[in-house]
Amino acid sequence: MNLTKDKGRRVAAHLQGIPRSGIREFFDIVSTRQDVISLSIGEPNFVTPWHIREASIYALDRGATAYTSNLGLLELRRAIADYVRESFQIAYDPASEILVTAGVSEALDLAVRAVMNPGDEALYHEPCYVSYAPVIALAHGAPVAVATRREDGFRLTRARIEPAITPRTRVLLLNFPTNPTGAVLTHDDARGIAELAVERDLVVIADEIYSELTFDAQRVSVAAFPGMKERTIFLNGFSKSWAMTGFRVGFACAPPDLTEAMMKIHQYTMLCAPILSQKAALEALRGGAPDLARMRDEYRRRRNLTHAALNEIGLPCHRPEGAFYAFPRVGGFGMRSREFSLRLLDEEKVACVPGAAFGASGEGFMRCSFAADLDELREALSRIRAFVKRL
Ligand code: PLP
């Protein structure tokens, strides 16, 4: 075998079956077009609040240019412990149960790699964030999707998960509020899922990156239920809550053995999260509560507008209770979601992501981000209206 000539064989076999992200594929198409209104990006249109940026600038000015502890700055871990205790009623020890990471993306990868053996199955609910199945496959695990349905508001219940559990199931991956559906966990559903995890001895990875963007319901984490803290890796971060996607900072909270396992991978692959981003994150936790409230109110306004308009246009849409995505049904027009999105882009210059990018059960839907500016959102909705009228 000649690895320079035989290019198909020099890429690791388990990587070859992993497709590129459907969102990325769509971005690439969008980037070749002019004057497009994009509702395709999962990114706040706000700039990071000034006092948070200033904390980074000030730290740089003072010469903060070094590595930090592998776990992250101790004062940041202390602030994270306070935040998680006050917001989620879960107590973590900053010395041994909190790891600061380069975004929730890294935390997710560490969590999966820390607990999965080759061939173990990990369950996740779908439609879901594009990374879940690939991250599990990259850890040599087997991703197993549990479909959720629009008719139930994309709720996840114990009854939906239970039939998918096999003797090889090791991990249950949860994301509430959910990207792309905006579903949240009710207290009763969370309790049922927690009881199931305890009974079937599952490790739960809870990606709660959108927790601050919960609009109506009381926020609830499975990690807070009896018997759960010791089996849950709780993930959260700053990208969405404080409009800090480019800072690349997040965190994982877990019992000491799991934190230590994640820390080992992090230590040898990432070393530490960037110090300037950690300084900014500390400022977000110390002084950023008013920013959260302001941005959440604004997203709620946009959610109300988008949800009402899509239903009125004739694209049935359940009400997103969290995150910043609407996920209307576009399946009633005799086209697949990809064709619907591409035609919308061609004919009206509005970019929304085809639901199939979020897994097979996302087919027939389309993700519209309402993290865009309000005027752009209004204009995009009026173009979608014109498009649907012609179908
Ligand atoms: N988890 C979910 C559900 C997301 O939607 C995203 C980003 O879109 C991430 C994790 C990644 O977040 P981060 O920017 O903290 O890496």
Side-chain angles (χ1 to χ4, degrees):
M1 181 175 63
N2 180 329
L3 285 181
T4 359
K5 285 204 183 116
D6 193 358
K7 294 217 166 59
R9 292 180 65 185
R10 70 176 175 187
V11 172
H14 72 293
L15 194 54
Q16 291 184 18
I18 297 178
R20 289 182 79 191
S21 150
I23 301 188
R24 197 42 65 185
E25 188 215 358
F26 203 70
F27 278 163
D28 292 346
I29 299 172
V30 172
S31 66
T32 62
R33 313 290 170 94
Q34 307 246 299
D35 305 327
V36 169
I37 301 183
S38 179
L39 306 185
S40 61
I41 307 177
E43 182 159 34
N45 75 316
F46 300 107
V47 175
T48 310
W50 170 245
H51 65 106
I52 298 175
R53 283 182 276 155
E54 200 177 31
S56 244
I57 296 167
Y58 183 65
L60 183 60
D61 192 44
R62 301 271 303 226
T65 57
Y67 294 134
T68 69
S69 140
N70 294 132
L71 288 173
L73 293 167
L74 182 58
E75 51 184 349
L76 174 57
R77 282 181 278 138
R78 286 193 178 127
I80 290 170
D82 292 344
Y83 167 69
V84 176
R85 197 180 50 250
E86 279 157 29
S87 300
F88 300 91
Q89 291 74 52
I90 317 165
Y92 288 105
D93 173 10
S96 61
E97 296 186 314
I98 298 176
L99 173 65
V100 179
T101 57
V104 172
S105 301
E106 193 216 352
L108 176 68
D109 181 45
L110 296 178
V112 169
R113 284 205 274 163
V115 296
M116 293 197 69
N117 293 305
D120 284 346
E121 291 174 0
L123 302 179
Y124 59 96
H125 52 109
E126 201 201 69
C128 66
Y129 179 47
V130 292
S131 289
Y132 293 155
V135 163
I136 295 162
L138 287 172
H140 302 275
V144 179
V146 174
T148 58
R149 297 164 359 124
R150 174 178 166 260
E151 292 71 16
D152 314 324
F154 296 101
R155 262 176 72 199
L156 184 68
T157 56
R158 173 188 175 124
R160 283 216 156 262
I161 303 167
E162 210 158 5
I165 298 178
T166 75
R168 293 202 307 159
T169 309
R170 186 172 180 85
V171 168
L172 173 63
L173 177 45
L174 301 174
N175 169 226
F176 292 100
T178 306
N179 172 9
T181 65
V184 298
L185 263 187
T186 66
H187 194 271
D188 283 353
D189 290 346
R191 190 179 47 225
I193 293 169
E195 284 168 1
L196 178 66
V198 172
E199 277 167 39
R200 306 300 287 267
D201 199 20
L202 303 177
V203 174
V204 173
I205 300 176
D207 175 353
E208 309 212 6
I209 189 167
Y210 293 101
S211 61
E212 288 297 348
L213 303 178
T214 304
F215 302 124
D216 312 300
Q218 184 72 23
R219 178 168 57 187
V220 51
S221 172
V222 279
F225 286 81
M228 287 303 286
K229 190 195 151 188
E230 48 268 51
R231 63 178 61 253
T232 303
I233 304 179
F234 173 94
L235 310 181
N236 212 321
F238 300 84
S239 289
K240 316 288 176 174
S241 322
W242 279 280
M244 290 173 64
T245 48
F247 281 85
R248 310 308 306 129
V249 60
F251 56 90
C253 304
D257 59 324
L258 294 179
T259 303
E260 173 68 16
M262 290 189 286
M263 199 278 283
K264 270 194 221 161
I265 309 171
H266 174 76
Q267 174 177 72
Y268 293 127
T269 54
M270 184 64 67
L271 219 154
C272 65
I275 186 168
L276 297 178
S277 302
Q278 294 193 50
K279 295 281 188 186
L282 181 60
E283 173 58 25
L285 290 176
R286 282 186 175 160
D291 308 307
L292 284 181
R294 175 176 56 81
M295 291 192 272
R296 188 188 304 117
D297 286 349
E298 185 54 36
Y299 289 129
R300 188 186 287 109
R301 221 185 332 271
R302 297 176 194 182
R303 186 277 309 263
N304 292 345
L305 170 82
T306 310
H307 171 244
L310 288 169
N311 280 301
E312 208 232 306
I313 288 167
L315 299 181
C317 182
H318 76 286
R319 196 164 87 133
E321 306 259 338
F324 40 54
Y325 309 105
F327 203 57
R329 220 173 91 70
V330 296
F333 302 95
M335 319 175 229
R336 295 186 68 78
S337 60
R338 189 165 188 278
E339 188 187 345
F340 188 98
S341 293
L342 285 174
R343 277 189 57 186
L344 178 62
L345 179 62
D346 276 342
E347 296 178 27
E348 293 290 343
K349 299 191 171 173
V350 175
C352 297
V353 184
F358 307 97
S361 52
E363 180 50 52
F365 296 87
M366 177 173 86
R367 190 187 78 173
C368 313
S369 163
F370 50 82
D373 166 82
L374 197 59
D375 287 341
E376 285 208 333
L377 198 54
R378 284 205 182 95
E379 174 59 22
L381 288 165
S382 103
R383 293 186 192 184
I384 295 174
R385 182 190 308 274
F387 176 71
V388 171
K389 247 190 185 163
R390 289 198 303 274
L391 292 177

